[in-house]
Amino acid sequence: MVSNRLPFTVDRRPEGVRIRRSPGGLVAALEPALAQRGGVWVGWTGAAREDDDTAAGAPPAATENVQYRAVPLTAHEIALYYAGFANRTIWPLFHYFVGQTQIDSATWRAYERVNERFAQVAADASDDEALVWVHDYQLLRVPHHLRRLAPRRRIAFFLHIPFPAADVLRVLPWSRDLIQGMLAADLVGVHIPSYADHVLTCAERLLGCEVDRGAGLVRFEGREVSVEAHPISIDVAEVERLAEQAARGSDAPDTPVAEILGVDRLDYTKGIHERMLAVERLLERHPGLRRRIAFTQVMVPSRERVAEYGELKREIDETVGRINGRFSERGWSPIRYLVRSLPPAELVALYRQADVALVTPLRDGMNLVAKEYVAAQLDDDGVLILSEMAGAADELQEALLVNPFDVDEVAEALHRALQMPRDERRARMSALRHRVRANDVRAWVERFLEASERAGLRARNTVASPADALQRMLAPWLARRSTVALFLDYDGTLTPIVPRPEDAQLSEAARQTLDQAARTPNLDIVIVSGRALADLQQRVGVPGLTYVGNHGFEIEGPGISFRHDELERWRAALEAAAAELDLLTASGARVERKGASVAFHVRTVPEGERRRLERQAEALLRRRRLRVSLGKGLIEGRPPVPWDKGHAVLHVLVHRHGADWPSRVSALYIGDDRTDEDAFRSLEGIGRSIRVGPTAGGASYADYRLPDPDAVLVLLRWFASGAFAGAKS
Ligand code: ADQ
């Protein structure tokens, strides 16, 4: 189990540190399930690493079958990752508070770092037989990092808050990273079908994944990921037991005052303020109800580290004061207001006594208070007024459903609830109770675990070829145009990366496929490289193809022969720089004259000397006013003209197919390297692109991914066979 918080809280008291188990149905359901199977719970203790008295930093000893592993966080990390990205960026955005969403790359980086650390602890605590269940919005990137560290782990993810529509999610600069993060799991669980739909749409629209809506599947990085709705529930038996006790305790005769109840974590998504206004509206419109109703709002303070929550508290205080000031009479105030956490027995007693529960979040993943209130109505009485923006509204259709933003509508629903005939109340409540009892939280845990098993097994059985999946995605796009222009980078795309560039040889299989492709009708193959043109032509050696060398400065192929104008002007500077670099080769460095550029290879230089040499070479190239780029074990100087692989690709397309090529040609670029990103970017929206291999840092302009040159070869074979043309029908 991996969750932001471990299932207990650490209280610091004068007499020492006290560890309390977290109350709540979820922990009560998850722990026994974990204990039954034997497992580890990974999470944060809630204390900063700096104030690490052993008890606060380290989790308590294992209980029965469950061990705890703490993920240490510094106060700075807590501020950025937890109070920052999780609670000021994801929380508001996923609840449709777009204007309140903070966009800050520093908090994003901290979130990524902390998620990586959680994944590391989870990887160390599990093996390939284990199922790792990751929880919630604080840990959306954990499946991604875990998959990288332990590719064969079975991973399930459950999101406890809403998953927003694609148009909302895309506001976030890191929206793709978040979806990719989740989709590294075998199963992604959400509360209700509309959230699952949003996940599928986001995977399709923001990542270009192939999606099977009927089956609830996303094909992502060669794996099939299930996306399913699993509405969470509560510990029904426990609520019923407490309600039973409460009933016995309260034998006071029916009071003439109708009790209305609100219970929430203090949070702006819960609509507490709007709810107060609805009570005010009720009293304005129906003066006869004065002295006859009492509204009790219970709130647990939460996230006190986040500034917005303090402001909200002040705002609610003021409104309660104003409304009570306006309507109170001797011996009666309309609003009673408790700010603290109540023990479960007291909370359930309040539920049991309340005639009406007002559960009106502006947006809520599920909302357990609604279900708890229903479960506590042992005599099937009481009315639930429920926001249609809560996930719970999907199941609890017999409640009075309201739009929580519409103060008039909520006031009218309250009025209706207070007037509702007993028969109607019982009919509605018994239907609701039946529904809640049928889906207890233990059943939810079991169902989710079974679904995870199924998804994990399927993921192991279907070793889907990533190239096959890509073909299916590309086919409809290819079918719209008559010709395909396929651009292929050389190193890392057609051949695996090797320690010494001079050893990168094209496999015989790849050469034969290229040879066949050169003769395929309506297929135009272009090989692109940073290598010198002559070197590239000699290495590939297939006639009839177009070759782009030197990052685009030289192009040759059927009907095209191009050298960038500026090349001649810079030839002397390039040669002079190369001659100077020759003088630095004593310790094993090597100079490569590539025609349009000069490369200085330092991979073979002893570690200790490398940095100094690199700095010297860089300074020397800059003195010659060349553009310097740093590769792995390599420094390169190029003419400082705005020309790169992206420009070259467009030049080939325009030269060969005319300026209006996009209406007739499907241009597809496959590359693995930073310099290929220029081409991906040029083709954004007018062509398509595929990045090969993992990207350090994650970000890429490419539309799709392929894992390695082998997968590229599979795709290339498909093109060479001409089958893409068949896709047109
Ligand atoms: P929360 O936003 O915390 O949960 P909710 O589902 O209502 O919201 O759960 C709140 C819990 O806190 C309830 O069990 C309630 O009894 C308890 N609680 C509230 N006020 C209390 C008080 N004053 N004293 C004691 N206990 C109190 C997130 C999502 C929800 C989703 C859950 C579970 O935001 O949409 O339902 O996770 O997935």
Side-chain angles (χ1 to χ4, degrees), residues 627-701:
R627 181 159 126 209
V628 179
S629 56
L630 304 173
K632 284 194 193 109
L634 161 96
I635 296 183
E636 218 171 347
R638 281 191 264 163
V641 285
W643 191 260
D644 53 36
K645 287 180 176 177
H647 291 83
V649 163
L650 292 176
H651 182 85
V652 170
L653 284 164
V654 172
H655 182 87
R656 188 152 293 155
H657 305 283
D660 61 345
W661 63 265
S663 58
R664 279 172 281 108
V665 181
S666 297
L668 178 66
Y669 190 106
I670 312 181
D672 74 302
D673 182 87
R674 235 168 357 124
T675 58
D676 295 312
E677 290 289 336
D678 294 324
F680 300 160
R681 196 171 190 185
S682 297
L683 288 177
E684 255 188 332
I686 45 177
R688 300 266 169 114
S689 53
I690 302 172
R691 176 129 182 184
V692 182
T695 34
S700 170
Y701 287 103

Side-chain angles (χ1 to χ4, degrees), residues 91 95 160-161 191 232 263-265 270 298-300 340-342 347 351 364-369 372:
W91 179 268
H95 287 87
H160 290 265
I161 67 173
H191 288 305
I232 198 170
V263 174
D264 306 85
R265 235 177 3 83
K270 301 290 183 184
V298 190
M299 303 193 305
V300 215
R340 59 175 177 271
S341 172
L342 297 181
L347 188 62
Y351 287 144
D364 212 334
M366 172 56 70
N367 192 295
L368 297 178
V369 170
E372 289 163 0

Side-chain angles (χ1 to χ4, degrees), residues 397-475:
Q397 288 286 320
E398 295 83 359
L400 297 186
L401 296 181
V402 293
N403 172 353
F405 293 92
D406 186 344
V407 172
D408 289 328
E409 191 192 349
V410 178
E412 267 328 290
L414 263 174
H415 187 243
R416 181 175 166 202
L418 294 167
Q419 311 293 322
M420 191 179 279
R422 187 177 151 84
D423 285 346
E424 182 180 347
R425 294 202 307 260
R426 298 190 68 143
R428 290 180 184 279
M429 189 49 75
S430 64
L432 288 170
R433 225 155 64 82
H434 188 73
R435 188 89 29 74
V436 170
R437 298 186 85 193
N439 180 27
D440 175 85
V441 70
R442 289 203 173 74
W444 173 81
V445 170
E446 289 308 321
R447 272 203 299 274
F448 189 78
L449 288 174
E450 277 164 28
S452 308
E453 296 287 342
R454 273 199 307 277
L457 278 178
R458 213 209 25 251
R460 286 183 180 198
N461 293 338
T462 54
V463 191
S465 148
D468 288 351
L470 200 50
Q471 278 163 31
R472 283 197 296 274
M473 276 189 273
L474 289 171

